[in-house]
Amino acid sequence: MVRTQEVSYDQKGNRFKLKLWLANSLSHAHQLFDEVPVKDPPLWTSLIAAYARHCQPENALHLFFLMLRQSKPDLEACPNHFAITAVARAIASAPQHLLFGHVLHACIIKTGIVPGKVVAGTSFLDMYSKCGAVESARKLFEDMSYRNHVTWNAMLFGYMQNSMESHGLMLFYRMKCGEFIAPDEYSISTVMSGCAHVQDLVLGMQVHGYAIRGGFEVSCANSIANMYFSCGRIVCAKIIVDVVHKDMVSKLLSIRGYILNHSYVDAFRYLCSLDNIVEILNTDYTIFVPLLTLCTKLSLVRVGKQVHGLFIALVHSNKIIKSLDENGTIIGCTLIEMYCKCGDIAEGKKVFETWPWEQHVSLWNTLVSGYIQNGLVEAASVLFEVMPEKDVVSWTSMMTGFVQNDMPQEGLNLLGKMYCSSEEGYGVDGNSLTFVVGLEACTCLTDLERGKQIHAKIIRRSPGSGANNNVVVGTALVEMYSRSGSLHYARRVFDSMEQKNVVAWTSILTGFAAHGYGFQALEVFHKMLNNGIKPNAVTFVAVLTACSHCGLVDEGLRCFKEMKNYGLIPEEDHYTCLIDMLGRHGRLEDAWLLVNGIQGQADGASSGAIWAALLGACQLYGNVEIGRKVAPKILKNGNQNSRARIALSNVYAAAGMWNEAYGTRRALQISEGDANGEAAISRVCVPPLLS
C-alpha cells in the first residue's frame, strides 16, 4: 500500500522495481537504474541515498556528479534538497571529501535551501561534526532559524565525538534550561557518554534523575550504566544493568566496566554466569583484549588458553579476519603479554612465531618485555638485536631490562648506541621514559658526567623548558644529582620544576638527609607540608634519617608520632631509623624499651634490621649488657648469624673484653667456616685522565 503512493507518477514501474532491488542488492538496483533512459531527481536521489546508507560514499558522490552533468541542459533535473541531504550524509562518512562539502554548502546557501529546510541544515551540521570541523558545525547551528530535536542531538553528538565534552554539556544545559526544549532519549544517551568521558558523576546523576522522571531510564540504561562504570560506581552500574533485559550491549558493557575498574574477580564471576560467551565474542571481537587482560591479572593461564582457542577458531572460520587490521596487533600483543606474565614464555614465543598477520614492531616489543619480566635478559637482548625495525619503545624496554637486572653500564651503552644510530639517519629519538631510564642507570653507577650529558640532551630536546614541565624527568634528575653528591645541581633542578609531587619532594629531602644535611632536609620537609603535599612512608624514612644525622632526637620522635596523622603505619624502616637515631646519641635504654615495646606488632616490625641497628649502637658505645641481650634476638634469624656474631664481637672489643671477642669469632669460624663474611664494595666514577 505504501509503494502504490510512492509510484503514482511516470516511470512508476521502473521506480517500483528500483525500490525492490534497493532492499536486496545495490548492484542490481544500479543495473536497473542504468537501463532507465530518462532519470528524474527522485530516481537519482533514491540510489544516492542508498549508497550513503550503506557506507559507500564514493559511489554516492560519483552518481551525484553524473546527476549534475545531466541537469545542465534540463533545469527540472537539478538536485533537490533530498539529494543534497543524501550527499551530505555520504561526505560525513568520507572526511577526505570535506572540501567538496564546503563547496556544496556554499552553493546551496545561494538557493536558500539550508535556512528553510531543517533536514538539509541538520545533514550539513552532522557532516561537519563527523569530519572534525566542529567550528563550522557550530556556526551553522547558530545560524539556523529553526532547530528540531535531531538538530540539537547532532550538535551534541558532534561535540562529544570531537572530545569537546565540556562544550556539549554546556549545550545540553542551554537546550533544557535556556531554550526549554525537553531532551529525548538520544539527548540523554549522548550527554551520558560525555559525563562518562569527563567522569562528571554529579551531572550524570542529575541527568539520570531526569531520565527517571521522563521515563527514559530503560531505553537509556546502557548509557547510564556506562557513565557509572566510568565514574567508578560499580554497584550503581550493576543496579541499572539488572533493571533492563540483558542484551548483548549490556553484557559487553558489564565486562568492560568491571575490568576498567580493576574488579577482575567480579568480572570473572560475571563471565561464569553467562551461557553464550561464544556469541559475545562473535558480536564484538575487540572484547578479546579485556578478557585476556582479566586472565593476566588473575594469572588464569588455562582460561586464557581457552580464550586463545576461541580466537583461533573465529579466525579459521574467516568471521573476523577481514576486520582485524590494527586491532589484530593489539590482540596479539595482549596474548603474548598474558602468557609471559603468567610465566609461560614458551607459549608466548609460539604465539609470536605463528602469528598469521604481519609481525608489527609492537609484537616484537611485547615479547622483549616478556623476556625481561621473567629475568631472561640475554634472550631479550638476542631478540632485540635481530628485530627488523626498532622504535623508541624497543630501545627503552631493552634499556629498562638492563637497569632493572643490575646491568646499568649495558643500559647506558645501549642509550649511546641508540643516539649514534639516530645521528646516522636510521635511528630514533628518545622520549621522557628513555631519559628517565638513562638517568636511573647513571644513578646506579654514580656517573655524574654521563648524567650531565643526558641532562644537556633533555634541554636541547625541549629548549626553554628542559625538565621543568615533566615531573618524572625532573625527579630522576634530582635523584641522579643527589646520589652523585651534587646537591647544588639537585636543588637547582628541583627549584626549577613547575610541578612537584610527593616523589619529587621526597627525592630532594632524601638527598639532603643521606649526605648529612639534616637541617636543610627538615626545612624542605616543612616547606613541603606548607605547600599542601601529603608525605608518604618514604618521606618519613628520610625525615627520621635527617634527624638522626643532626642529633635532633626529640624532633625525630615528634615526626615519628605525626605519621598517624597522615594515615601511615610505621614499618620496619621507620623503626630501624628511630632505633638508629636513639642509639647514635647514647639513648640505648630508650631504644631497648622501644624495641621490646614493638614486639608482637605487625609481622616484620621487630625483625633483624631493627635489632642490628641497636646492636650497632651498642658497639659504638661499648654497651656489653644490652649487646648480650640483643645478639640472641638476631641469632634467631639464620640468615644473619654471621653478622650478629661479628657485631657482638665488635661490642666486646670496643669494651676491651678481648677474650670474649676472640671466643665469639672462634665460634663463628667453627659454625660457618668463615668469620670474614662477604666483602662489601663501593664504586666511584672518575673522569678519564687526559694525556
Side-chain angles (χ1 to χ4, degrees):
M1 295 175 64
V2 175
R3 292 187 184 280
T4 57
Q5 295 178 0
E6 292 178 349
V7 297
S8 58
Y9 44 84
D10 293 340
Q11 299 177 338
K12 63 181 180 180
N14 288 330
R15 195 166 295 111
F16 182 76
K17 291 179 183 179
L18 179 61
K19 294 286 185 181
L20 289 178
W21 283 116
L22 288 177
N24 298 300
S25 171
L26 274 176
S27 59
H28 289 97
H30 201 148
Q31 183 178 359
L32 179 62
F33 174 84
D34 290 337
E35 294 175 359
V36 178
V38 179
K39 306 174 181 68
D40 58 4
L43 195 62
W44 287 96
T45 303
S46 298
L47 193 56
I48 292 172
Y51 276 125
R53 282 195 305 271
H54 288 80
C55 298
Q56 298 184 31
E58 304 294 341
N59 292 333
L61 292 177
H62 177 69
L63 272 178
F64 183 70
F65 289 135
L66 293 178
M67 181 182 183
L68 290 176
R69 186 180 303 172
Q70 174 185 298
S71 66
K72 287 182 178 179
D74 185 6
L75 295 179
E76 294 183 358
C78 288
N80 54 25
H81 70 277
F82 294 109
I84 292 172
T85 298
V87 172
R89 189 184 306 123
I91 297 174
S93 60
Q96 65 271 21
H97 298 297
L98 177 61
L99 181 59
F100 175 69
H102 280 289
V103 174
L104 182 62
H105 186 196
C107 291
I108 67 170
I109 286 177
K110 296 180 179 180
T111 66
I113 291 179
V114 171
K117 303 290 183 179
V118 66
V119 176
T122 302
S123 298
F124 275 98
L125 190 154
D126 184 63
M127 176 197 73
Y128 285 129
S129 298
K130 290 181 177 178
C131 292
V134 186
E135 185 60 24
S136 298
R138 187 196 64 80
K139 290 180 179 179
L140 176 58
F141 178 82
E142 298 295 343
D143 290 340
M144 294 176 67
S145 58
Y146 172 73
R147 313 179 190 97
N148 58 17
H149 273 89
V150 179
T151 309
W152 283 93
N153 291 339
M155 193 65 243
L156 281 172
F157 182 79
Y159 279 132
M160 303 302 176
Q161 187 183 36
N162 289 277
S163 302
M164 300 175 66
E165 290 81 6
S166 59
H167 291 76
L169 298 179
M170 291 176 61
L171 183 67
F172 178 77
Y173 179 82
R174 170 186 166 188
M175 173 185 180
K176 185 178 184 301
C177 303
E179 304 200 16
F180 305 104
I181 298 175
D184 58 11
E185 56 187 292
Y186 300 104
S187 311
I188 293 172
S189 297
T190 304
V191 171
M192 280 296 181
S193 67
C195 293
H197 193 272
V198 299
Q199 298 182 341
D200 191 337
L201 178 63
V202 175
L203 179 59
M205 294 178 72
Q206 292 175 351
V207 178
H208 181 196
Y210 174 80
I212 295 174
R213 291 185 58 189
F216 300 127
E217 185 181 30
V218 175
S219 58
C220 300
N222 289 329
S223 299
I224 298 172
N226 179 55
M227 183 274 297
Y228 282 120
F229 272 128
S230 299
C231 294
R233 298 302 179 94
I234 302 176
V235 176
C236 297
K238 187 176 182 300
I239 293 173
I240 297 299
V241 172
D242 291 342
V243 167
V244 298
H245 175 70
K246 292 183 179 179
D247 57 4
M248 194 59 64
V249 176
S250 66
K251 292 175 182 177
L252 291 167
L253 178 65
S254 298
I255 295 171
R256 296 182 190 277
Y258 284 126
I259 296 175
L260 174 68
N261 289 279
H262 309 294
S263 298
Y264 301 111
V265 175
D266 292 334
F268 184 69
R269 289 173 180 168
Y270 182 79
L271 282 170
C272 293
S273 68
L274 301 177
D275 55 0
N276 58 343
I277 187 65
V278 177
E279 184 183 351
I280 292 175
L281 295 174
N282 247 332
T283 303
D284 184 4
Y285 65 87
T286 61
I287 199 67
F288 276 105
V289 174
L291 288 181
L292 291 170
T293 302
L294 166 66
C295 297
T296 302
K297 296 298 182 180
L298 298 181
S299 298
L300 301 174
V301 66
R302 293 181 62 184
V303 178
K305 288 183 177 180
Q306 294 175 356
V307 176
H308 186 189
L310 289 172
F311 175 74
I312 294 174
L314 289 176
V315 169
H316 287 170
S317 65
N318 293 323
K319 291 187 176 180
I320 65 174
I321 193 168
K322 293 182 179 180
S323 56
L324 272 177
D325 299 331
E326 59 186 30
N327 290 316
T329 300
I330 298 175
I331 295 175
C333 292
T334 311
L335 273 170
I336 297 173
E337 182 183 28
M338 186 267 295
Y339 284 119
C340 291
K341 287 191 174 180
C342 292
D344 196 344
I345 299 294
E347 197 64 33
K349 183 179 179 182
K350 184 178 179 181
V351 172
F352 173 79
E353 292 175 344
T354 60
W355 190 246
W357 295 277
E358 178 187 2
Q359 286 187 334
H360 191 268
V361 65
S362 300
L363 293 173
W364 291 83
N365 293 338
T366 305
L367 187 57
V368 168
S369 298
Y371 281 138
I372 292 171
Q373 289 165 3
N374 287 272
L376 305 174
V377 184
E378 292 185 5
S381 181
V382 172
L383 183 65
F384 175 81
E385 292 298 331
V386 299
M387 286 179 66
E389 177 188 358
K390 300 181 182 73
D391 59 9
V392 64
V393 178
S394 313
W395 292 93
T396 305
S397 297
M398 196 65 245
M399 286 172 54
T400 304
F402 283 133
V403 175
Q404 289 179 348
N405 288 273
D406 299 324
M407 301 168 68
Q409 187 62 56
E410 287 78 359
L412 281 179
N413 293 341
L414 192 63
L415 178 63
K417 183 179 178 181
M418 182 187 82
Y419 274 104
C420 286
S421 62
S422 177
E423 292 173 359
E424 293 172 4
Y426 58 89
V428 296
D429 193 14
N431 57 20
S432 298
L433 184 57
T434 311
F435 296 129
V436 169
V437 176
L439 290 169
E440 185 178 352
C442 295
T443 301
C444 295
L445 296 170
T446 60
D447 193 337
L448 180 60
E449 290 305 315
R450 287 215 246 184
K452 287 182 177 180
Q453 292 174 13
I454 295 175
H455 190 184
K457 185 69 177 179
I458 294 171
I459 295 174
R460 287 197 299 269
R461 187 172 180 267
S462 303
S465 60
N468 300 352
N469 55 0
N470 191 315
V471 66
V472 179
V473 176
T475 303
L477 282 169
V478 171
E479 183 78 9
M480 185 273 297
Y481 282 123
S482 298
R483 292 282 188 91
S484 301
S486 299
L487 292 178
H488 175 66
Y489 281 114
R491 187 60 188 261
R492 285 182 61 182
V493 172
F494 178 80
D495 290 339
S496 66
M497 292 172 62
E498 296 177 0
Q499 294 182 344
K500 306 179 184 73
N501 58 13
V502 64
V503 180
W505 284 94
T506 302
S507 181
I508 188 66
L509 200 157
T510 303
F512 281 125
H515 288 84
Y517 295 95
F519 291 105
Q520 288 88 333
L522 292 176
E523 178 187 349
V524 170
F525 178 65
H526 292 304
K527 187 176 181 180
M528 170 185 173
L529 298 179
N530 293 334
N531 282 304
I533 305 296
K534 182 180 178 181
N536 58 19
V538 182
T539 309
F540 277 101
V541 170
V543 170
L544 292 173
T545 301
C547 293
S548 176
H549 288 174
C550 290
L552 301 175
V553 180
D554 294 333
E555 178 73 10
L557 290 171
R558 186 185 64 79
C559 291
F560 181 79
K561 293 178 181 179
E562 281 187 359
M563 290 183 64
K564 297 180 180 179
N565 298 336
Y566 297 98
L568 299 173
I569 299 175
E571 299 176 357
E572 178 183 349
D573 290 339
H574 303 100
Y575 284 114
T576 302
C577 290
L578 194 61
I579 297 301
D580 179 70
M581 179 180 65
L582 293 171
R584 279 174 180 263
H585 300 89
R587 297 175 59 170
L588 297 179
E589 292 292 340
D590 293 339
W592 170 252
L593 293 175
L594 178 63
V595 174
N596 281 318
I598 63 176
Q599 279 189 323
Q601 294 185 8
D603 293 341
S606 57
S607 65
I610 299 176
W611 292 113
L614 182 54
L615 189 58
C618 293
Q619 175 186 342
L620 180 65
Y621 286 93
N623 192 319
V624 179
E625 180 183 355
I626 297 180
R628 284 174 173 172
K629 297 177 184 178
V630 173
K633 303 289 186 180
I634 304 179
L635 291 176
K636 291 181 181 180
N637 188 344
N639 296 331
Q640 297 189 5
N641 276 344
S642 59
R643 294 184 180 181
R645 291 183 186 274
I646 292 172
L648 183 59
S649 173
N650 293 334
V651 171
Y652 286 135
M657 303 170 66
W658 299 107
N659 291 332
E660 288 80 356
Y662 174 77
T664 304
R665 289 271 181 169
R666 182 62 181 166
L668 178 60
Q669 285 182 333
I670 294 173
S671 63
E672 300 190 14
D674 182 13
N676 295 321
E678 182 181 353
I681 62 171
S682 61
R683 179 191 291 113
V684 176
C685 286
V686 295
L689 296 176
L690 299 177
S691 57

